[in-house]
Amino acid sequence: LLKAASFPLFVAYVGVARIWKVFLVTLYTLLLLFQGKKHNALRKRVDHHSFDREQLLLGILLLSVFVFLFPSVFMYYACTLAAWLTVYAVHSALAA
């Protein structure tokens, strides 16, 4: 019964965790943009690249949005993680 009641919290945690992961990968990619580098997925390494002005401008706009949203996304992740770990601890305590 407790597992069924905590399932929506688990779904929320998984969703927020995926958003957090995408957020961190995007921030890493945007920081590489300003260093003049890009991630080469085929060779699994970081290569040098010269970007156009339009690409850099779009990178500046996206980076500013992501930097200002970073504290909010971090708090959503931290709160859902804390709630899920609390539920998990209760599950473990009741199972023992």
Side-chain angles (χ1 to χ4, degrees):
L1 181 65
L2 188 60
K3 287 185 179 184
S6 63
F7 183 70
L9 180 63
F10 175 70
V11 171
Y13 168 70
V14 169
V16 171
R18 286 184 182 171
I19 291 171
W20 177 248
K21 184 178 178 181
V22 168
F23 200 82
L24 290 179
V25 169
T26 305
L27 276 177
Y28 174 71
T29 303
L30 288 172
L31 290 175
L32 284 179
L33 173 82
F34 292 109
Q35 295 174 359
K37 300 176 183 178
K38 70 175 187 174
H39 179 72
N40 188 345
L42 295 176
R43 295 187 179 179
K44 297 182 181 177
R45 66 178 186 190
V46 176
D47 294 333
H48 293 283
H49 186 72
S50 59
F51 294 98
D52 298 336
R53 284 187 183 174
E54 291 84 14
Q55 291 171 331
L56 289 174
L57 180 63
L58 183 62
I60 289 171
L61 293 174
L62 286 175
L63 184 65
S64 63
V65 168
F66 275 86
V67 165
F68 284 118
L69 286 177
F70 185 79
S72 299
V73 174
F74 174 73
M75 286 309 298
Y76 279 123
Y77 178 71
C79 290
T80 54
L81 177 65
W84 177 245
L85 287 178
T86 303
V87 168
Y88 187 74
V90 169
H91 279 268
S92 298
L94 291 177

